[in-house]
Amino acid sequence: SERPECDPAGSGRREGRAVIAWWSVAGEPWAVLLACAPALAIAIDRLLGEPPLRWHPVAWMGRWLAWAGERLAPRVGAPRVLSDARVFWFAALSWCAAAAAFFAVAWLFQDWVLTQPVWLAALALGLFLKPLLAWAMLHDEVLAVERALGESLDAGRAQLARLVSRDVSALSAHQVRESAIESLAENLNDSVVAPLFWFVLLGLPGAVLFRFANTADAMWGYPGVRGGRDWAWAGKWAARADDVLAWVPARITAALIALPAGHTAGPGRLWVEAARTPSPNGGWPMAAMALALRVQLRKPGIYTLNPEGRTPEPADTLRACAIGSRTVGVATLLACGALLGVLV
């Protein structure tokens, strides 16, 4: 078919056929500007922070997941209507249907955006990518834990409870600090690197798909009883889907943390430390951060990362945030560079 051209006015508007992915606009004279979308999203994140909840797509995902979860996970103590296998498959099909719906909406929106003038397309992609990223809030919340610890242990625990799902009531000051640093490292992947990775591959639909999977894992994926409901089977698909989508980005995140930080333990040591955690992905950025800071990071009774390291001190929280900022900067530049390679 005949290749569509930019309009004579130079606005970058495309006409004539649907734009369904990056390769649809590759080679256009103006397409290089779209590679700036990740950098624009990170800039908006730092300058403006999170949008109101009523406009936040991740909040929309959370509301649907909460509504569906009440209908999929069996209530503890109630008569069992469905077998474990049926609970699993109903939850899996519900996840797939919702993921497909969010993906399709994002795809249609991107399809429309990429037919607009280039300045508007680049602005829209950056603006709508931003809610799928959350570095500024994570950075500030982790620093807030350290400030709260300076006031009292109870204040530090209360601030940490905003970041983690574990019981914080019995944690010591060192354990509160370790948990904050672990949350920073793990969420570098979930909140920044992985959405950027999938944005580079599939644009907004890819970032939306990952964010839905990650939110579903947080709300459905942990086995056990929560809210009076049994999640032993209802959340298995959500947990495995998030593991698959985060597998490559988690290892990229670990490399981005480790290499600029200058630790020389080597990939073999990182592999060994990451394997200490039960998570197939979360251990990688946490292990890289422990090695970069040369500290221990522990979850009592479950794992100890870098056991030869020292106990984290207040300065290590600041160093972790600095490493995180550097990692986000490098990840953003790599995303822009990858898009540039695709689009030019």
Side-chain angles (χ1 to χ4, degrees):
S1 60
E2 184 178 354
R3 182 184 182 83
E5 301 292 340
C6 293
D7 64 286
S11 67
R13 181 184 297 275
R14 289 170 56 88
E15 305 285 355
R17 66 179 172 90
V19 179
I20 58 173
W22 296 130
W23 55 83
S24 300
V25 295
E28 296 289 354
W30 51 267
V32 62
L33 295 179
L34 298 177
C36 299
L40 178 59
I42 292 296
I44 295 171
D45 178 61
R46 183 70 271 180
L47 294 174
L48 301 180
E50 298 300 311
L53 287 179
R54 66 180 180 275
W55 301 113
H56 206 304
V58 179
W60 301 342
M61 297 173 189
R63 283 194 285 270
W64 184 88
L65 288 164
W67 175 85
E70 291 179 356
R71 290 153 177 80
L72 293 168
R75 186 173 294 279
V76 175
R80 293 299 300 269
V81 177
L82 300 175
S83 65
D84 290 340
R86 286 176 179 251
V87 169
F88 169 81
W89 283 111
F90 272 116
L93 291 173
S94 298
W95 185 101
C96 291
F102 281 110
F103 187 91
V105 169
W107 194 287
L108 291 171
F109 176 76
Q110 179 174 271
D111 176 61
W112 174 79
V113 161
L114 292 179
T115 64
Q116 304 308 303
V118 61
W119 65 269
L120 180 59
L123 178 62
L125 287 175
L127 188 64
F128 283 88
L129 176 61
K130 157 56 208 112
L132 307 173
L133 308 170
W135 166 240
M137 181 174 67
L138 174 63
H139 174 277
D140 295 347
E141 289 287 333
V142 170
L143 287 181
V145 172
E146 192 59 56
R147 287 195 298 269
L149 274 177
E151 300 172 8
S152 70
L153 176 56
D154 285 340
R157 289 170 174 167
Q159 188 65 38
L160 178 65
R162 294 162 55 94
L163 275 173
V164 301
S165 58
R166 73 181 71 171
D167 181 10
V168 302
S169 60
L171 297 183
S172 67
H174 291 316
Q175 290 170 336
V176 168
R177 183 171 295 116
E178 288 170 353
S179 296
I181 294 173
E182 288 172 353
S183 182
L184 176 80
E186 185 172 10
N187 282 289
L188 270 173
N189 180 58
D190 294 343
S191 297
V192 181
V193 177
L196 287 177
F197 175 84
W198 286 104
F199 179 77
V200 169
L201 290 183
L202 295 174
L204 283 177
V208 165
L209 177 63
F210 174 79
R211 210 71 188 119
F212 175 79
N214 187 247
T215 305
D217 178 49
M219 297 182 68
W220 291 8
Y222 295 96
V225 176
R226 297 189 310 281
R229 296 185 178 276
D230 183 3
W231 288 94
W233 289 93
K236 280 186 178 292
W237 178 278
R240 298 293 81 78
D242 180 68
D243 289 344
V244 170
L245 293 176
W247 198 90
V248 172
R251 285 144 182 83
I252 294 174
T253 304
L256 295 180
I257 292 172
L259 296 179
H263 81 71
T264 57
R269 175 67 185 282
L270 181 56
W271 187 296
V272 169
E273 294 301 325
R276 297 181 189 273
T277 70
S279 168
N281 297 320
W284 283 84
M286 291 192 297
M289 186 65 78
L291 293 169
L293 295 174
R294 295 177 172 84
V295 301
Q296 294 182 6
L297 294 178
R298 296 166 290 184
K299 189 171 185 179
I302 299 179
Y303 60 77
T304 298
L305 299 175
N306 193 25
E308 298 84 7
R310 55 183 172 78
T311 300
E313 301 172 351
D316 292 312
T317 305
L318 302 181
R319 290 176 59 210
C321 288
I323 290 173
S325 294
R326 183 168 54 202
T327 299
V328 170
V330 174
T332 304
L333 289 175
L334 289 175
C336 292
L339 284 175
L340 192 63
V342 170
L343 293 171
V344 171

